[in-house]
Structure formats: structure tokens, C-alpha cells
Amino acid sequence: EAGVAQSPRYKIIEKRQSVAFWCNPISGHATLYWYQQILGQGPKLLIQFQNNGVVDDSQLPKDRFSAERLKGVDSTLKIQPAKLEDSAVYLCASSFVVVRPSGRVIVHNEQFFGPGTRLTVL
Amino acid sequence: AQKVTQAQTEISVVEKEDVTLDCVYETRDTTYYLFWYKQPPSGELVFLIRRNSFDEQNEISGRYSWNFQKSTSSFNFTITASQVVDSAVYFCALSAYSGGGADGLTFGKGTHLIIQP
């Protein structure tokens, strides 16, 4: 089974430029997450999608960050314009959903992570 | 608000020694999940274990064992007979269960484990 794919693996830009990252989750995984990991820290959740809908974007800096998952499969995270403090590794993760006979959706907690995109803002 | 504290920033031991990584968490949710992830130098996060808040049984998997104590809000991880390949950053994480599904993970700052040959 293929894992979570991310591209590019590395990106160097100057401040005030724009950048976009792409993520393709594991096939069949309805839930997709974007995390930001600053050097020396644990990952921080930026946004969570369930299919193509946003579940949680409370920690996403919406003045410069945006994300979409239009067809409920792959996703794009954009930063516009970038700041020096955006230098970090951007991790994408996915997990699958179990739907009970009642129709209740249970999100499987085990998140599978991609290799990340290392962004350097100069 | 949720919080995960890993007080040990770095631990260095000699190969074959046992080592315990501490994790203390805070949450107001009654249903939640606890995790440990390993991040080797390659950078990819590797899932190790998941525990739900209703299951306080300790677990052993080979050289790895986990001690979950709800009374002290701790979920500690022990590696027995450590090996050089265990060298990595280890993260403890917490996820609440909000009824409509699981929330994203709240991670600790990680413990850098160095196993010296």
C-alpha cells in the first residue's frame, strides 16, 4: 500500500513570496491533516479535512495560509505571502473513517504521515 | 485546551541500557486517545502505539512497553535493552474524541533519545 505522498520535499523562497505544497493521502482515507513542525518542536495542527470539508482550522493563520481539498482526495496548502517564521517542515497526514450502521462517522485515530516538505524562507 | 508535556529534552544512554521517556498530559475531555510516535533522522513520523482513555492496561511490544496511569495523567514509554537504531526523537501526542470524530493530534515537544554504542 502506498503511503502519504508530499511534494516538493524541499523549497527555498524569499520572504513575501508565495509557495504551495501538495499532499496525496493514502487511498481511501477520508480524513486529511496538515501540520507545521518548527525545528526543535512537535508538530502543530494547522487544518483538518473530512472528505472535502474543513473540520478544524482554528490554528491556521488565515491571513496568509489557505488550504483546499476540492475533490476530497489530494490537498494543497498555500502560504501567501511567506514570512521568515514560516520556515518549518509541513507534514501531511491521513486516517480512515469507519461508518457505523447508524450512519455515525468514527474517525480512526491512527494517522499516517508523509515525509514532509521542508520550507526555508530567506 | 489540551497540553502534552515531555520534560526530558534529551536523553543519552549506552546501548543495552533501559530507558524511560516521560509524558504528562492535560485535557478536560473524558474520551481521548494517547499516542507515541518516533521521528528518526530521516524525518518521517512513525506510529508506535495508540491508547484510549478507557483502557489503562499496560502494553508490551517486544522491547517497548507503555505505562498509562490516568490518576497521574501520564503515559510513559520504556525501551528495554536499547539499541543504536532506537536513536530518534520520540513524541507523545493526545487527541480528543468529540463525538463527530477524532480531533487532530496535540504533540509534546519531543524527547531526543541518543543511544551510544
Side-chain angles (χ1 to χ4, degrees):
Chain A
E1 181 183 89
V4 177
Q6 290 188 247
S7 67
R9 292 296 310 278
Y10 304 91
K11 191 73 178 180
I12 301 174
I13 61 172
E14 295 188 348
K15 60 183 180 184
R16 291 188 288 275
Q17 284 188 323
S18 302
V19 64
F21 313 126
W22 175 82
C23 171
N24 193 24
I26 293 172
S27 178
H29 281 197
T31 310
L32 185 147
Y33 310 80
W34 282 102
Y35 291 85
Q36 179 194 57
Q37 186 176 17
I38 292 173
L39 186 64
Q41 299 183 19
K44 182 184 84 171
L45 179 69
L46 292 176
I47 190 167
Q48 176 184 350
F49 291 96
Q50 183 71 21
N51 296 307
N52 60 351
V54 175
V55 174
D56 180 5
D57 63 357
S58 57
Q59 299 190 92
L60 187 74
K62 298 180 187 64
D63 56 334
R64 298 183 300 105
F65 286 65
S66 64
E68 59 184 16
R69 194 184 184 199
L70 295 176
K71 296 182 179 178
V73 181
D74 56 346
S75 175
T76 303
L77 176 69
K78 296 180 181 177
I79 307 176
Q80 181 180 1
K83 292 185 175 181
L84 296 177
E85 58 261 36
D86 298 332
S87 293
V89 175
Y90 290 85
L91 296 163
C92 180
S94 69
S95 62
F96 64 85
V97 171
V98 173
V99 182
R100 300 294 189 202
S102 63
R104 186 180 180 206
V105 173
I106 308 295
V107 176
H108 194 289
N109 285 79
E110 181 179 336
Q111 296 181 24
F112 296 85
F113 284 82
T117 297
R118 184 177 297 275
L119 173 67
T120 302
V121 183
L122 303 175
Chain B
Q2 301 176 83
K3 186 178 179 181
V4 175
T5 301
Q6 294 180 255
Q8 303 149 312
T9 304
E10 184 174 291
I11 299 175
S12 181
V13 300
V14 177
E15 197 172 21
K16 297 183 184 176
E17 287 185 6
D18 299 347
V19 58
T20 295
L21 309 182
D22 298 332
C23 173
V24 174
Y25 63 92
E26 296 175 29
T27 180
R28 294 179 182 175
D29 297 288
T30 55
T31 303
Y32 52 89
Y33 295 84
L34 294 162
F35 301 79
W36 277 94
Y37 280 85
K38 175 181 179 180
Q39 190 171 46
S42 61
E44 197 153 340
L45 280 162
V46 178
F47 168 79
L48 295 177
I49 190 171
R50 175 188 65 184
R51 237 341 165 226
N52 74 53
S53 50
F54 298 110
D55 182 2
E56 290 193 66
Q57 277 192 332
N58 292 332
E59 181 157 338
I60 298 174
S61 176
R63 297 183 297 106
Y64 296 171
S65 62
W66 291 269
N67 184 319
F68 176 29
Q69 293 197 340
K70 215 168 176 179
S71 60
T72 56
S73 298
S74 65
F75 186 42
N76 296 337
F77 172 33
T78 297
I79 301 175
T80 302
S82 60
Q83 300 176 2
V84 173
V85 293
D86 296 327
S87 297
V89 180
Y90 290 85
F91 290 98
C92 180
L94 168 69
S95 172
Y97 182 77
S98 56
D103 297 341
L105 298 172
T106 298
F107 283 85
K109 291 188 175 181
T111 296
H112 185 198
L113 178 62
I114 301 168
I115 309 297
Q116 299 178 16

